[in-house]
Amino acid sequence: MAKLYVVATPIGNLSDMTPRAIETLKSADLIAAEDTRVTRALLNHFGIDTPCISNHQHNEEQRASSLPQRMLDEDLTVAVVTDAGTPCISDPGSVLVREAAALGIEVLAVPGPTAMASALSVSGFDTREFAFYGFLPRQKKELREKLLSMKRSGTPIGVVHESPHRVIELVRTIGETLPGCRISASCDLTKLHEKTIRGTAEEVLALLEANEKAEKGEYCLVLDMSGVELETQEEHSAASLEAQLFEEMLSGFDLRQAALTLTERGHKRNDVYRARTNVQRFIDDLMSDYTLEEDDSDE
């Protein structure tokens, strides 16, 4: 009977490979890997010769459209893995799982390492309630809006991933946007030079800037937003919604995006819609007057 195993692999330390994961990969008919080269190196280390096919973010939709049916037709057992950690958590795999489950294929988890759980466990924060956000937006405006949305969600702890080349700017923006936020920043989890630094956003930023090796190794950050208090004007500006829409448009958003931003800030959808209609009417009238002036000048 066809089966799909979601297999976690080490995020750094090969000793974290579980006996069940090794046995699953050995007995599978096929391994769907994020990067076959990375996975082949892992398989060679454990003496596993199961054939591999690629299943990454750029081809997963195509792969998932055919592989589950092939599994049924040929009665295959397939294991899905990523370069490191647990598939489907900010990594490929979820599309393949979805399509396999839709065809009635049994999907089983082979648990193991994940950076998210590891970073939470060493943070020292109260992690009874948390939310995982993966990688945050790169553009500063969108990043600020996302951070504010995370705070407003009411969940005190947020977990995010970041590359070593952008981690300093991320922490700086966190400090500017969420005053009072505490951070536990873990780098190279389970590896030889694993390091976790903790403190306020400002303290963590100073430590990162002072570390000449900060731009090496992937980061997993745990944000404790329980002590963050946003200023009233940050939550709901005293300016009219029309004025706020124009402000967002001046920063580079079109009217639709500006309206969406106000809705995400907590303004009522109907109020934003009316304000958007007023702004659109104003722009249309302005353009109409401009056209009339051009016609008059032609005469």
Side-chain angles (χ1 to χ4, degrees):
M1 181 179 294
K3 290 184 180 180
L4 177 65
Y5 287 93
V6 181
V7 182
T9 56
I11 58 176
N13 193 321
L14 291 178
S15 297
D16 291 334
M17 188 75 165
T18 68
R20 184 183 174 208
I22 294 173
E23 180 56 34
T24 300
L25 296 179
K26 281 184 176 180
S27 61
D29 297 303
L30 193 63
I31 296 174
E34 180 179 9
D35 187 325
T36 56
R37 295 165 299 181
V38 173
T39 297
R40 180 50 60 191
L42 177 72
L43 298 180
N44 288 341
H45 179 83
F46 290 103
I48 302 171
D49 59 5
T50 306
C52 295
I53 58 171
S54 65
N55 183 73
H56 48 73
Q57 62 176 333
H58 301 297
N59 77 342
E60 187 174 13
E61 288 284 352
Q62 179 182 2
R63 181 70 70 196
S65 68
S66 59
L67 182 57
Q69 187 59 55
R70 178 187 170 192
M71 292 171 64
L72 288 175
D73 294 341
E74 301 178 25
D75 194 22
L76 298 178
T77 294
V78 175
V80 58
V81 300
T82 55
D83 293 349
T86 303
C88 310
I89 301 180
S90 201
D91 267 330
S94 59
V95 179
L96 186 56
V97 168
R98 181 192 71 205
E99 296 303 314
L103 289 181
I105 296 173
E106 186 176 15
V107 180
L108 301 169
V110 180
T114 170
M116 173 185 64
S118 299
L120 282 165
S121 70
V122 300
S123 68
F125 299 149
D126 183 349
T127 59
R128 288 175 293 179
E129 184 179 4
F130 66 89
F132 176 66
Y133 296 95
F135 287 93
L136 298 182
R138 296 187 182 185
Q139 297 301 316
K140 190 165 186 177
K141 181 175 178 58
E142 288 82 354
L143 173 58
R144 280 178 51 82
E145 290 295 336
K146 185 62 178 180
L147 290 170
L148 291 172
S149 175
M150 290 164 56
K151 168 56 184 175
R152 295 189 188 104
S153 72
T155 303
I157 301 294
V159 186
V160 303
H161 289 323
E162 189 53 280
S163 74
H165 305 294
R166 295 194 300 271
V167 67
I168 289 178
E169 186 58 33
L170 171 61
V171 173
R172 180 180 293 113
T173 304
I174 292 172
E176 296 169 352
T177 308
L178 303 176
C181 181
R182 295 184 61 78
I183 298 175
S184 174
S186 296
C187 178
D188 282 334
L189 283 163
T190 77
K191 296 180 181 178
L192 180 62
H193 299 293
E194 173 181 345
K195 186 176 182 63
T196 296
I197 54 178
R198 307 170 186 84
T200 65
E202 292 75 18
E203 291 169 342
V204 171
L205 176 62
L207 290 170
L208 288 172
E209 290 179 327
N211 180 10
E212 61 182 18
K213 296 182 179 180
E215 292 192 355
K216 294 182 179 180
E218 297 296 322
Y219 282 83
C220 189
L221 282 68
V222 181
L223 280 57
D224 180 0
M225 300 173 284
S226 59
V228 174
E229 293 185 6
L230 299 176
E231 297 180 0
T232 303
Q233 62 265 29
E234 186 69 49
E235 290 279 13
H236 294 288
S237 172
S240 70
L241 290 179
E242 287 83 359
Q244 292 181 61
L245 286 172
F246 276 117
E247 182 180 350
E248 295 299 325
M249 292 170 70
L250 287 172
S251 69
F253 281 173
D254 60 28
L255 183 54
R256 183 190 64 81
Q257 293 169 326
L260 180 60
T261 298
L262 265 60
T263 301
E264 291 175 345
R265 287 179 182 170
H267 292 290
K268 294 181 179 178
R269 191 177 301 274
N270 288 341
D271 292 341
V272 174
Y273 177 78
R274 282 192 291 270
R276 176 180 174 179
T277 301
N278 292 337
V279 170
Q280 186 62 63
R281 185 180 298 117
F282 175 81
I283 293 173
D284 291 342
D285 290 345
L286 189 64
M287 294 303 297
S288 178
D289 291 342
Y290 177 75
T291 302
L292 288 174
E293 288 179 4
E294 281 194 329
D295 293 341
D296 291 341
S297 64
D298 289 342
E299 294 176 1

